Amino acid sequence: MSSAEVGRLGSTALRILAVAAVYYAAARIGLLQQLVRDQVTPLWPPTGVALAALLMMGLRVWPGIALGAFLANVFLGPSLLSVLVITAGNTLAPVCAALMLRRAGFRNELDRLRDVLALVFLGALAGMSISSTIGTGVLVLSGALDAGDFWPTWSVWWAGDAMGILVVTPFLLVLRKARWPSGVGPGRWIEAVALALGTLFVTLLATRSRDSNLLFLVSPFLIWAAFRFRLAGAAPCALAVVTLAVLAAAGDRGPFVGDDVFATMVTLQAFNGTTALTALLLAAVITERDRTYEEIKQLCGRLAEVVARMEPRPESYRSPPEDHPPPR
């Protein structure tokens, strides 16, 4: 085996271990907001981590997802066999989602409306039904859950995995491309700080009040982020809003006080879904508009250059040449 091949294997092994470590850390954070059986949460960040890793590094890092999922579930599952099956589901779901997105021509920049729609329908809604079905079915078959609790648990599991895709994956894709901006004036920095502080303040206010109508106060800040900062502003704002809402629901605070699990999930995930879709769709539409405008501008410039080079020039037809007077 050549030194180049050894180097590639070592690099792949390091990436797999890094993915496993980040997946496990995200799982520990996600379990702090569990709603069902200390294992099912309304926001499961590891799914977003797993899909982002597959999209950025390729399918070769799937063992890192499996290792991270196993470590996250080994102390939670009813038996080792159940843990292994749940781990398989947690690994298979993002892998299938990545394959479907690749087949659909998905671009990691999320700068097209079709990319956002593919992430929603293929990555979140379709792909995450695999892990929720396998995981909930294992819990029922092992006796950890009653058969009557299958669909409520399935809905929480599926929605949590889907929200991980919708808010964590875009944030990580943006973070990978993040660079320190150059030539940005102080006004832009002040606007960014005002947007961040305003989003946090309004979200804390809305999630601490029992009036659920206050949740709609967050929407103008998401629109502001998408219009002024595109996906680089919309993705972090959506992640912050969803995280604060999940913390309020897990702590039985604000508009989620006194509700059962089903009612809490309906209110929470309706708000979270609206938040994620508003941010992602607006950012993609505005980015597409900007790109189309630039393409039209460049095309008009090239067309003007072509017209300017055309011979004879149009001015030659307006008056006859001076050295050839018109006939009398």
Side-chain angles (χ1 to χ4, degrees):
M1 183 178 295
S2 65
S3 58
E5 292 176 345
V6 172
R8 284 195 296 269
L9 289 177
S11 176
T12 301
L14 288 177
R15 291 186 178 187
I16 289 173
L17 292 176
V19 169
V22 176
Y23 188 104
Y24 178 77
R28 301 308 303 175
I29 295 173
L31 290 173
L32 297 177
Q33 292 89 41
Q34 58 80 27
L35 291 182
V36 180
R37 201 192 166 275
D38 297 331
Q39 198 169 2
V40 185
T41 72
L43 173 62
W44 188 237
T47 58
V49 172
L51 183 58
L54 292 170
L55 293 174
M56 292 187 292
M57 304 181 199
L59 295 177
R60 63 181 179 273
V61 299
W62 72 264
I65 300 171
L67 178 59
F70 176 78
L71 294 176
N73 289 284
V74 66
F75 299 109
L76 302 174
S79 65
L80 181 60
L81 178 60
S82 299
V83 169
L84 291 175
V85 176
I86 291 174
T87 297
N90 289 346
T91 305
L92 187 61
V95 168
C96 290
L99 290 173
M100 288 188 291
L101 289 175
R102 178 183 295 179
R103 185 68 179 268
F106 178 82
R107 293 196 330 202
N108 292 347
E109 291 77 12
L110 279 172
D111 56 354
R112 302 178 300 177
L113 181 60
R114 59 175 292 182
D115 296 326
V116 175
L117 294 177
L119 185 68
V120 172
F121 289 103
L122 300 180
L125 302 186
M128 295 307 106
S129 63
I130 299 173
S131 57
S132 58
T133 302
I134 294 176
T136 308
V138 167
L139 293 179
V140 171
L141 293 176
S142 64
L145 282 178
D146 295 332
D149 294 330
F150 177 87
W151 287 113
T153 304
W154 183 94
S155 63
V156 176
W157 194 313
W158 173 75
D161 284 2
M163 289 310 305
I165 297 295
L166 293 181
V167 298
V168 177
T169 298
F171 174 75
L172 293 178
L173 294 177
V174 167
L175 190 63
R176 178 175 178 265
K177 296 287 187 179
R179 299 292 184 273
W180 188 263
S182 59
V184 177
R188 190 71 163 173
W189 286 107
I190 293 173
E191 182 182 4
V193 172
L195 172 63
L197 295 179
T199 302
L200 292 176
F201 173 77
V202 171
T203 305
L204 288 173
L205 176 66
T207 55
R208 296 301 185 273
S209 172
R210 299 199 62 174
D211 186 1
S212 60
N213 292 324
L214 293 180
L215 294 173
F216 294 99
L217 294 176
V218 178
S219 296
F221 289 88
L222 297 173
I223 297 172
W224 178 9
F227 265 93
R228 295 292 293 159
F229 298 95
R230 309 303 185 262
L231 189 64
C237 284
L239 177 61
V241 169
V242 169
T243 300
L244 292 175
V246 170
L247 289 174
D252 197 25
R253 297 191 302 268
F256 312 104
V257 171
D259 292 337
D260 57 19
V261 172
F262 180 77
T264 297
M265 283 298 299
V266 169
T267 304
L268 176 64
Q269 300 298 35
F271 172 71
N272 289 345
T274 302
T275 296
L277 291 178
T278 299
L280 295 179
L281 291 174
L282 272 179
V285 169
I286 295 169
T287 302
E288 271 196 321
R289 182 204 62 181
D290 293 343
R291 186 172 59 251
T292 301
Y293 172 78
E294 289 298 326
E295 291 174 353
I296 294 175
K297 185 178 178 180
Q298 293 175 6
L299 182 61
C300 289
R302 289 195 296 268
L303 182 60
E305 293 177 0
V306 171
V307 172
R309 296 194 189 100
M310 292 178 63
E311 293 293 342
R313 297 183 181 275
E315 291 82 357
S316 62
Y317 297 100
R318 295 179 182 175
S319 60
E322 296 180 0
D323 56 343
H324 293 86
R328 297 179 180 179

